[in-house]
Amino acid sequence: MSAIYANNYVIVAIFLFLGVLLPVVTVSIIGPLVRPNNPTPEKLTTYESGNIPVGDSWVRFNVKYYIFALLFVIFDVETLFLYPWAVAYNKLGLFALVEMVIFIVLLVIGLIYAWRKKVLEWN
Amino acid sequence: MANLLQQTTSLWNVTMFALAAVVLLLVVLGFVTYAIYFERKVIGWMQLRIGPNRVGPLGLLQTVADVAKLLMKEDTRPQNADKALFALAPVLAYAPAFGVLAVIPFTDSIQFADLGIGVLYYIALSGITVLGVITAGWASNNKYSLIGGLRSAAQMISYEVPLVMSVVGVVLMTGSMNLREIVEAQKDVWNIVPQFLGFLVFLVAAQAELNRTPFDLPEAESELVAGYHVEYSGFRFAMFMLAEYVYMFGMGALVTILFLGGWLPIPGLSFIPGIVWFILKFSLYVFFQFWLRATMPRLRADQLMSFAWKGLLPVALLNILITAVVISVQNGSFHS
């Protein structure tokens, strides 16, 4: 049993290693051998539809993104709780159903609140 | 594969696993090459054009030529870019795309890792790609990139929630997150029938996760130049494209396993081997992607975001509740 467990994660490690290896090998080892390299100052400027770039691009951005990120964290954690519940559901019976309904309702209230506050609009 | 999994870990096993993984990598690269070719061909036919037909017989070598061109293109990196992050972003985008394939069972014998938490592994790893996208947008130090990257990240995380929730229904019915067990539980009826609502939510959300039409805003050429990869060229750019098509492979396999019964045959046709069924269902999904691209216009950014939260999320939650109640009724929990 433990051998299967170890083997499974060895395979996962191999896949991730290969996933890193392919871009690294093609970009840094094969690439320099076959591609030209002639960086001129014009080529190295930031692209802005042909205009000379104005200022820096690391600017403040819309706060909306932050709110969506917060919403995402809340609901993603909710799903994290839903998965073990779903796996064990058959063994837990009615009690689990009632508990999860309460949990989901609490989060739906949060969603409705965000909806009413017009957080979900994008403009 | 199954026998090797039982043995204790040794150099022999690890070598065999590595070889098998390399074979899968080659298969995936072949898939990507011809998926791009067929995408262009199919869309061409649907628009009464011919599509690529110049390079090689019937244009079959078109994508190969494109890849060779990308490999031989100069790799420019803007002066103001964050050098380390600029180099890291394509790796961050591609590595999880290939990593998720480790848990996909293609038939009951062709399988790599047999993880008990297969679904969770897929979802957790695929989330890392968002980091790659946002890193690329940020590191380029370009206004279009930054806007494109943030939009893309906002879209991907918004649709990840309904995507993940629509799978909970399947897990409820199976009582397991192991992808092989999920397929085996569909012996009598495929999940697409009892989980039709979940399937619809999954289909739509997967489309947004893959950044494909009608949710291809992150790559809206006409409004963002190209989005998060404006400053990328040559093979670094190719890595982002590759990641996208490898995800299409992964998502096609996942849809097949979760909802379409994986390698299980249509009743009465069980003499056709499982792998053929898997490829058929998988190809159907991939064709559906191309078909959508030829049919649908692009959504507006505001409609896109509110649709995830106001449309798909409540439906996904409803699906979970209905499934849970139906299972309770079947188990007789309400009588005892």
Side-chain angles (χ1 to χ4, degrees):
Chain A
M1 191 61 213
S2 62
I4 299 174
Y5 192 77
N7 282 336
N8 280 332
Y9 284 95
V10 166
I11 294 176
V12 167
I14 290 172
F15 268 76
L16 289 178
F17 177 71
L18 272 180
V20 175
L21 202 67
L22 181 73
V24 169
V25 166
T26 47
V27 171
S28 349
I29 298 174
I30 302 175
L33 300 176
V34 291
R35 70 183 177 221
N37 184 25
N38 178 26
T40 56
E42 288 78 20
K43 234 182 246 173
L44 294 181
T45 51
T46 304
Y47 174 72
E48 226 171 273
S49 298
N51 295 324
I52 296 162
V54 183
D56 198 69
S57 307
W58 289 327
V59 288
R60 296 188 197 182
F61 45 82
N62 201 334
V63 71
K64 285 262 171 190
Y65 292 109
Y66 185 67
I67 295 172
F68 274 103
L70 277 179
L71 271 175
F72 166 72
V73 169
I74 295 166
F75 281 92
D76 220 36
V77 172
E78 178 187 2
T79 35
L80 209 63
F81 285 117
L82 280 172
Y83 270 101
W85 168 79
V87 170
Y89 186 69
N90 273 323
K91 293 164 203 137
L92 297 176
L94 202 57
F95 178 67
L97 176 62
V98 175
E99 275 211 322
M100 197 43 78
V101 168
I102 295 171
F103 181 58
I104 290 177
V105 164
L106 284 177
L107 281 154
V108 167
I109 292 172
L111 184 67
I112 293 170
Y113 179 75
W115 198 323
R116 289 289 300 272
K117 283 277 174 189
K118 303 229 167 20
V119 172
L120 305 179
E121 314 289 334
W122 188 275
N123 39 34
Chain B
M1 230 31 226
N3 292 334
L4 281 173
L5 268 178
Q6 308 286 342
Q7 295 163 6
T8 42
T9 315
S10 64
L11 196 63
W12 164 248
N13 293 23
V14 175
T15 321
M16 289 315 284
F17 292 150
L19 277 178
V22 170
V23 170
L24 182 70
L25 178 63
L26 294 178
V27 170
V28 170
L29 291 181
F31 162 79
V32 171
T33 311
Y34 286 97
I36 294 173
Y37 170 75
F38 275 108
E39 177 165 17
R40 297 179 61 184
K41 265 297 195 209
V42 167
I43 293 175
W45 289 326
M46 286 183 180
Q47 295 167 348
L48 298 179
R49 295 184 285 112
I50 295 171
N53 69 341
R54 292 286 150 173
V55 190
L58 301 172
L60 277 169
L61 296 176
Q62 180 66 51
T63 321
V64 181
D66 286 345
V67 171
K69 186 204 79 172
L70 280 173
L71 194 60
M72 291 192 281
K73 271 236 162 191
E74 185 177 355
D75 181 36
T76 55
R77 181 169 57 190
Q79 218 164 10
N80 295 329
D82 185 321
K83 288 190 174 52
L85 288 182
F86 191 82
L88 180 67
V91 182
L92 261 185
Y94 174 72
F98 185 64
V100 293
L101 300 180
V103 289
I104 303 286
F106 296 98
T107 68
D108 41 8
S109 53
I110 305 173
Q111 180 180 23
F112 294 89
D114 188 17
L115 295 189
I117 51 157
V119 177
L120 209 57
Y121 170 83
Y122 187 105
I123 288 160
L125 215 59
S126 67
I128 297 175
T129 295
V130 183
L131 276 182
V133 166
I134 208 164
T135 309
W138 174 263
S140 305
N141 198 351
N142 177 318
K143 295 183 187 79
Y144 296 117
S145 288
L146 186 66
I147 296 170
L150 285 172
R151 268 200 193 185
S152 185
Q155 171 184 330
M156 283 163 105
I157 62 172
S158 292
Y159 280 86
E160 196 162 318
V161 175
L163 182 84
V164 173
M165 283 194 177
S166 61
V167 182
V168 173
V170 174
V171 176
L172 262 173
M173 294 194 54
T174 316
S176 167
M177 287 192 278
N178 183 308
L179 291 171
R180 194 172 39 77
E181 284 171 27
I182 286 176
V183 174
E184 276 160 10
Q186 300 176 55
K187 275 225 154 57
D188 302 322
V189 57
W190 297 350
N191 273 337
I192 186 172
V193 179
Q195 284 292 318
F196 191 66
L197 209 54
F199 174 70
L200 284 185
V201 173
F202 189 92
L203 209 60
V204 176
Q207 209 64 22
E209 281 288 296
L210 294 171
N211 290 337
R212 291 189 66 86
T213 340
F215 305 106
D216 60 342
L217 278 90
E219 282 147 34
E221 293 92 349
S222 44
E223 41 183 305
L224 281 172
V225 192
Y228 58 89
H229 46 52
V230 180
E231 294 288 4
Y232 282 88
S233 63
F235 228 68
R236 285 185 215 272
F237 167 76
M239 278 301 143
F240 284 112
M241 280 300 152
L242 188 59
E244 214 160 273
Y245 279 87
V246 173
Y247 265 124
M248 196 159 94
F249 184 92
M251 203 56 99
L254 198 64
V255 167
T256 309
I257 288 163
L258 292 177
F259 294 100
L260 302 179
W263 60 85
L264 297 176
I266 291 171
L269 289 174
S270 50
F271 59 89
I272 300 171
I275 187 74
V276 176
W277 284 109
F278 191 95
I279 293 172
L280 271 180
K281 294 168 187 175
F282 173 84
S283 313
L284 191 70
Y285 176 75
V286 173
F287 173 75
F288 174 72
Q289 300 262 336
F290 302 159
W291 184 14
L292 266 189
R293 184 166 164 199
T295 311
M296 306 279 280
R298 188 179 293 141
L299 238 66
R300 240 165 51 203
D302 58 327
Q303 292 169 330
L304 175 92
M305 295 305 283
S306 50
F307 181 59
W309 295 98
K310 294 178 182 175
L312 289 181
L313 181 58
V315 175
L317 283 171
L318 190 70
N319 178 51
I320 295 174
L321 281 180
I322 293 173
T323 312
V325 170
V326 168
I327 288 177
S328 277
V329 170
Q330 278 173 348
N331 289 350
S333 299
F334 287 114
H335 297 292
S336 55

